[in-house]
Amino acid sequence: MTAKEVFKKAYSDFVFIDGGCGSILQAQGLQPGELPETWNIIHPEIIQKMHRDYLLAGANILTSNTFGANINKFQPGDIKFSLDAVIGAAINNAREAIRQVESDPASPELVRNQPHFVALDIGPLGKLLKPLGDLDFEDAVKIFSYTVKIGAKHGADLVLIETMNDLHEAKAALLAAKENCDLPVLITTAYDESEKLLTGADPMTVVATMEGLGADAVGVNCSLGPDQMFGIVEQLARYASVPVVVSPNAGLPRSEGGKTVYDVVPADFAASMEKIADLGATMLGGCCGTTPAHIKAMSDAVRTHKAHEVTPKNDTIITSYTHSVIFDKKPVLIGERINPTGKKKFKEALRNRDMDYILGEALTQKEKKADVLDVNVGLPEIDEPQMMIDVVKELQAVIDLPLQIDTTNPVAMEKALRIYNGKPMINSVNGKEEIMKEIFPLAKKYGGLVVALTIDESGIPETAEGRVAIARKIYERAAEYGINPKDIIIDPLAMSISSDPQSAITTLDALRLIKEELNGKTSLGVSNISFGLPQRDFVNAGFFTMAMHNGLNAGIMNPSSLEMMKAYYTYCALLAVDQNCANYIDFATNLPATVAAPVAAGGVSATGSAGAGVATGAQGEGTSNTSELIEAIKRGLKDRAAALTADYLKTKDALEIIDGELIPALDIVGKGFEKKTVFLPQLLMAAEAASAAFGVIKQTLAAAGGDQQKKGKIVLATVKGDIHDIGKNIVKVLLENYAYDVIDLGKDVDPQLIVDTVQRENIRLVGLSALMTTTVPAMEETIKLLREAGSPAKVVVGGAVMTQNYADMIGADKYCHDAMETVRYAEEIFN
């Protein structure tokens, strides 16, 4: 049986994966700060025994001891521990363990007769990608590519990308795997208690994005015990059309005698995994703290169950980096304003690279309740591919809505699809063979919902039946490229009734037939219907209502149009897709005063451009009682925040701006983050905007011979042996914005260096971070040395493996679940 056949098996039967590695190596003598991957070379017998034990426990797939093996850790020129040597040894150790077990007559018959495979294990790089961090997307792809190429060269059977907590990094790793080998790829992500990734994505979003990119299996691992994963697994199984992988931790960690131990015993682990199997997962293993005993108990128990068959899911979904939009009964609103067609100011903004104007259009459309934003930056006189990249990046830095990439330039399309964080709409293909040959390969590689126009070499058919025929042809050609019908949305084209009185009827008939005959999803550029007519919004709104009634799933429209939004909200309420008429009531009771009065009196407003509800900031907070600067910071608008600060300094004192504008803005966003209404990207972009404002203040103070007063010094470090500094860097950004002087010692920091710095600088607060269980002992050792040195400094700890109980056991003064909690603790200490 080949590895690809194993994946086919996982559609209807169970496949078992091995368990934890780090905690087992710790028990064998792995020292704090020692890289586990080096043991592939210096202690191959221990690695091989671990693999043999997992095979005898029932594992079908062994994960190579390469979780942290990348060129950042292991340089090609290293004589003993080059990346090639480390990965090659890891795969050889796993392969040798399989040979020994399968050839040993003493091995149980069930084990000897099972297929066994080696997965190249790839973990996160420990850095946030731009714009949240300093790692470029293509650099991340390049780093992962080195690992993939070496693993494939040395004979890995498949690739396991695991413990990803950033959707964008997961995409970079998956692209690297798909572009550099032809092996099956599993990808598992790490969620927190809110069932979201660090950067905000929920399970549906992860499934849609990773399946779109071609993952052969998707799932969840690490961070949580099995019982805490039930809700996540339910969502994964509901939306995944590929096998679901589940590898939980053995519960919560704690420290005993300098070793990390976990609280879920094998029998309890097996009982929980039986429930997870019954929820629909078919590829089951373990993560931190699990041992061969856990895997044996699990495999013995789960084999008595019948696996759920993995079936195709026909949900039409697009995503941003945080959430999904489903095309179903409730029509989807696609904002049309980021498009130069007929918009003089927008054309000027593109020519002048005026990102503030473009972002302003995006924010306005979000405030007016658009679900998706169309992005078209095509002008003959500009570099469209580069502009498309820049605009998509800037938009995704401040807006969490999915985007529709709208261009006729295939180079611009591919560049945008490659860097897009999520699964976008692709606008567009049509029935022309040349266009389908250009766009369908891109859609297959990068994933996306393809907008398909009913036009071909013969033009636009005059009849609805003719447009349906083109739609049918597009579906057939898409299938030849491996694109599912659920990832095609048909645009039967709205043409102006001013030139063809029958055009609306034809389009409406086509909408109905596409739904009835092809079971297809549809989209329209609604406003085209009224071209050349006065008071166009009246016509647009009437047509929009008729189109929705005939099955329209998405309308490209102006969400600032009162008439269009009236049509939308009333339709949704009447069709019973607006529960308890909640959205309609919110819309109708929050109309601008100039509109609400005549409407309440029974009149009709003909403005066509009034607002469609109360404007809200990007972080979901009302804007009526906050200043422009606070709003700019909340929305992550760096340039706008800097410009406003410079203007405020003409009439206000610097301290007044800091205390009255910058800190309150950060507090608003921080509280949203703590309530899980704001996610890490928005938090960091708000911090970036505040930093830009602080920068202007610093320059002004420096010119006047002054400086910003600091609240106190804080030392931050990622402990010895751990190169993952995402959490530490997030804490640093926020502390600096709250006027603390942060001494960042970096990653893989020796305990004595931390102690020496604390004593030399008379530090009152130390922040320590660790991602891996194997490096927590180094955290404990650091705290011990600080205490022995007599330092009065408080120690706050955090990281993916930390818990309150764990923090108490290693002697920390405070455990903080996230960066904002660390800021709150610092305020408590220094104030």
Side-chain angles (χ1 to χ4, degrees):
M1 182 180 286
T2 66
K4 291 184 179 179
E5 289 172 334
V6 165
F7 278 88
K8 291 181 181 178
K9 175 187 176 187
Y11 277 81
S12 59
D13 200 359
F14 296 113
V15 174
F16 299 108
I17 307 172
D18 61 11
C21 174
S23 51
I24 291 176
L25 298 188
Q26 278 184 315
Q28 294 294 319
L30 182 72
Q31 295 301 303
E34 189 176 7
L35 298 178
E37 295 83 7
T38 61
W39 279 37
N40 294 322
I41 294 172
I42 59 179
H43 294 299
E45 70 286 351
I46 294 177
I47 302 299
Q48 289 174 22
K49 182 181 185 306
M50 177 183 68
H51 288 323
R52 288 198 305 272
D53 290 344
Y54 276 124
L55 292 169
L56 294 171
N60 304 111
I61 296 175
L62 294 177
T63 54
S64 60
N65 179 29
T66 55
F67 177 84
N70 58 63
I71 55 174
N72 290 344
K73 280 188 181 180
F74 300 99
Q75 299 300 317
D78 191 312
I79 296 175
K80 187 174 184 180
F81 297 120
S82 69
L83 185 60
D84 188 275
V86 167
I87 294 175
I91 293 174
N92 289 338
N93 287 333
R95 189 72 67 200
E96 176 60 19
I98 292 173
R99 187 196 67 77
Q100 291 174 9
V101 168
E102 290 184 346
S103 63
D104 186 354
S107 298
E109 184 177 355
L110 178 63
V111 172
R112 283 187 284 114
N113 292 338
Q114 287 287 318
H116 299 115
F117 301 95
V118 179
L120 173 67
D121 190 32
I122 298 177
L125 300 176
K127 289 181 172 292
L128 281 173
L129 273 62
K130 295 177 181 177
L132 307 180
D134 57 5
L135 181 61
D136 185 76
F137 179 81
E138 290 299 341
D139 288 340
V141 173
K142 185 177 180 180
I143 293 169
F144 286 124
S145 295
Y146 279 114
T147 299
V148 170
K149 289 176 184 177
I150 294 170
K153 181 184 76 172
H154 285 284
D157 299 305
L158 58 139
V159 177
L160 170 60
I161 300 166
E162 61 154 307
T163 323
M164 292 288 164
N165 53 24
D166 175 8
L167 190 68
H168 215 195
E169 184 179 15
K171 176 175 180 174
L174 185 50
L175 276 177
K178 288 293 182 178
E179 290 177 345
N180 292 282
C181 74
D182 60 357
L183 304 176
V185 183
L186 300 77
I187 186 159
T188 59
T189 47
Y191 299 85
D192 61 19
E193 298 89 341
S194 68
E195 300 184 350
K196 297 186 185 296
L197 303 188
L198 175 69
T199 48
D202 57 31
M204 185 202 311
T205 299
V206 173
V207 168
T209 303
M210 295 300 110
E211 277 195 16
L213 289 162
D216 297 282
V218 297
V220 53
N221 80 294
C222 205
S223 294
L224 304 170
D227 288 357
Q228 289 74 46
M229 289 186 175
F230 291 160
I232 296 168
V233 176
E234 282 184 315
Q235 294 179 68
L236 292 172
R238 160 63 184 85
Y239 293 104
S241 299
V242 296
V244 171
V245 187
V246 181
S247 296
N249 289 349
L252 298 174
R254 65 180 187 275
S255 178
E256 287 186 0
K259 302 294 182 182
T260 302
V261 296
Y262 287 77
D263 61 4
V264 176
V265 298
D268 293 340
F269 184 81
S272 295
M273 294 304 285
E274 287 183 90
K275 296 177 183 178
I276 283 175
D278 290 340
L279 290 172
T282 58
M283 303 187 79
L284 306 172
C287 200
C288 301
T290 58
T291 66
H294 288 82
I295 299 305
K296 179 167 177 52
M298 175 192 72
S299 61
D300 287 347
V302 171
R303 279 196 181 96
T304 65
H305 294 243
K306 179 175 175 56
H308 284 230
E309 184 174 353
V310 180
T311 57
K313 311 302 190 300
N314 293 316
D315 305 290
T316 295
I317 299 173
I318 61 171
T319 82
S320 66
Y321 57 85
T322 60
H323 70 277
S324 302
V325 171
I326 302 179
F327 293 74
D328 197 11
K329 292 182 179 179
K330 185 176 182 180
V332 172
L333 301 182
I334 303 174
E336 67 181 9
R337 302 298 298 170
I338 305 178
N339 188 319
T341 304
K343 302 180 185 72
K344 184 177 179 181
K345 288 185 178 179
F346 196 88
K347 289 179 180 179
E348 286 302 312
L350 289 177
R351 294 187 186 104
N352 299 328
R353 296 187 57 83
D354 184 354
M355 287 296 174
D356 273 0
Y357 182 87
I358 297 170
L359 295 178
E361 288 287 344
L363 288 164
T364 298
Q365 291 182 97
K366 177 177 178 177
E367 291 165 1
K368 303 303 183 184
K369 308 302 183 184
D371 300 304
V372 182
L373 300 183
D374 181 73
V375 181
N376 184 315
V377 297
L379 281 182
E381 62 268 37
I382 68 171
D383 181 350
E384 184 181 354
Q386 187 59 53
M387 179 61 78
M388 182 65 84
I389 291 174
D390 294 342
V391 170
V392 168
K393 286 181 177 179
E394 290 286 341
L395 286 171
Q396 290 209 290
V398 300
I399 289 285
D400 64 350
L401 296 182
L403 303 181
Q404 175 172 269
I405 310 301
D406 183 358
T407 178
T408 58
N409 184 322
V411 174
M413 179 66 77
E414 177 161 21
K415 288 182 179 295
L417 293 177
R418 188 170 180 85
I419 56 95
Y420 181 81
N421 192 359
K423 178 184 176 183
M425 293 184 75
I426 300 172
N427 191 6
S428 59
V429 299
N430 56 47
K432 297 179 181 179
E433 287 295 327
E434 178 186 1
I435 302 300
M436 289 189 284
K437 287 179 181 179
E438 283 182 342
I439 301 302
F440 280 149
L442 300 180
K444 177 61 178 175
K445 178 176 181 178
Y446 296 109
L449 174 61
V450 183
V451 180
L453 311 181
T454 54
I455 182 173
D456 62 10
E457 288 83 357
S458 299
I460 303 173
E462 294 183 358
T463 65
E465 291 76 13
R467 298 182 194 186
V468 172
I470 293 177
R472 185 176 283 108
K473 178 177 71 172
I474 291 171
Y475 279 127
E476 292 170 354
R477 292 290 283 122
E480 294 173 13
Y481 287 90
I483 298 172
N484 194 291
K486 70 179 182 181
D487 287 326
I488 300 290
I489 186 165
I490 303 295
D491 184 341
L493 299 171
M495 311 298 290
S496 177
I497 57 172
S498 65
S499 58
D500 179 4
Q502 296 296 313
S503 65
I505 297 172
T506 301
T507 300
L508 294 172
D509 286 345
L511 286 171
R512 177 178 51 78
L513 291 174
I514 290 166
K515 182 177 182 179
E516 292 176 354
E517 296 184 9
L518 304 180
N519 194 30
K521 298 292 192 294
T522 52
S523 172
L524 276 178
V526 178
S527 62
N528 293 336
I529 202 72
S530 65
F531 185 78
L533 296 174
Q535 296 290 356
R536 293 181 61 186
D537 273 0
F538 292 175
V539 179
N540 294 343
F543 178 66
F544 190 28
T545 301
M546 296 171 74
M548 290 187 286
H549 182 65
N550 279 272
L552 180 67
N553 297 104
I556 304 175
M557 43 79 74
N558 178 9
S560 291
S561 163
L562 176 63
E563 296 298 329
M564 291 292 283
M565 298 307 287
K566 282 163 58 179
Y568 174 73
Y569 283 116
T570 53
Y571 176 83
C572 290
L574 293 168
L575 195 65
V577 293
D578 179 3
Q579 189 172 8
N580 300 320
C581 300
N583 292 329
Y584 172 79
I585 292 170
D586 180 62
F587 164 73
T589 57
N590 287 289
L591 292 170
T594 54
V595 175
V599 171
V604 178
S605 169
T607 61
S609 61
V614 172
T616 57
Q619 319 309 335
E621 302 287 344
T623 65
S624 57
N625 296 317
T626 54
S627 73
E628 288 185 84
L629 180 54
I630 288 177
E631 285 304 311
I633 293 171
K634 284 166 53 183
R635 297 176 176 189
L637 301 175
K638 300 187 291 291
D639 294 344
R640 177 71 173 156
L644 285 169
T645 301
D647 189 51
Y648 280 29
L649 283 168
K650 296 175 183 177
T651 57
K652 293 184 178 183
D653 178 73
L655 186 60
E656 182 183 356
I657 296 172
I658 293 171
D659 291 342
E661 305 281 346
L662 306 190
I663 297 302
L666 289 171
D667 282 340
I668 291 170
V669 180
K671 288 174 183 176
F673 181 72
E674 291 167 334
K675 294 176 183 177
K676 302 296 184 183
T677 59
V678 169
F679 300 104
L680 182 64
Q682 294 104 312
L683 177 69
L684 289 182
M685 295 315 297
E688 285 284 315
S691 293
F694 274 118
V696 174
I697 291 173
K698 289 176 183 177
Q699 290 176 0
T700 303
L701 291 174
D707 197 3
Q708 181 187 356
Q709 184 177 355
K710 297 292 185 180
K711 294 179 180 178
K713 289 184 179 180
I714 299 174
V715 164
L716 296 181
T718 301
V719 298
K720 181 68 176 175
D722 204 320
I723 66 164
H724 302 87
D725 59 0
I726 290 177
K728 172 185 66 64
N729 290 344
I730 295 168
V731 171
K732 176 186 176 182
V733 168
L734 291 180
L735 286 172
E736 287 179 337
N737 275 291
Y738 277 81
Y740 290 99
D741 186 2
V742 177
I743 300 174
D744 182 4
L745 297 179
K747 57 195 177 185
D748 190 20
V749 182
D750 187 89
Q752 192 59 53
L753 175 59
I754 297 172
V755 173
D756 292 345
T757 304
V758 168
Q759 291 183 313
R760 182 179 65 251
E761 300 290 340
N762 194 26
I763 298 298
R764 294 172 58 190
L765 182 60
V766 180
L768 301 178
S769 175
L771 173 76
M772 303 183 296
T773 56
T774 54
T775 58
V776 174
M779 184 180 281
E780 184 175 14
E781 175 66 16
T782 302
I783 296 172
K784 178 182 176 182
L785 288 178
L786 283 168
R787 303 301 186 228
E788 290 176 350
S791 171
K794 298 292 185 181
V795 179
V796 56
V797 297
V801 296
M802 294 304 299
T803 64
Q804 183 63 60
N805 183 259
Y806 211 164
D808 293 340
M809 288 183 174
I810 64 175
D813 295 289
K814 177 72 174 178
Y815 160 66
C816 287
H817 179 70
D818 56 43
M820 278 309 303
E821 190 176 356
T822 307
V823 172
R824 306 292 185 221
Y825 184 61
E827 297 282 85
E828 178 184 326
I829 294 297
F830 286 92
N831 291 337

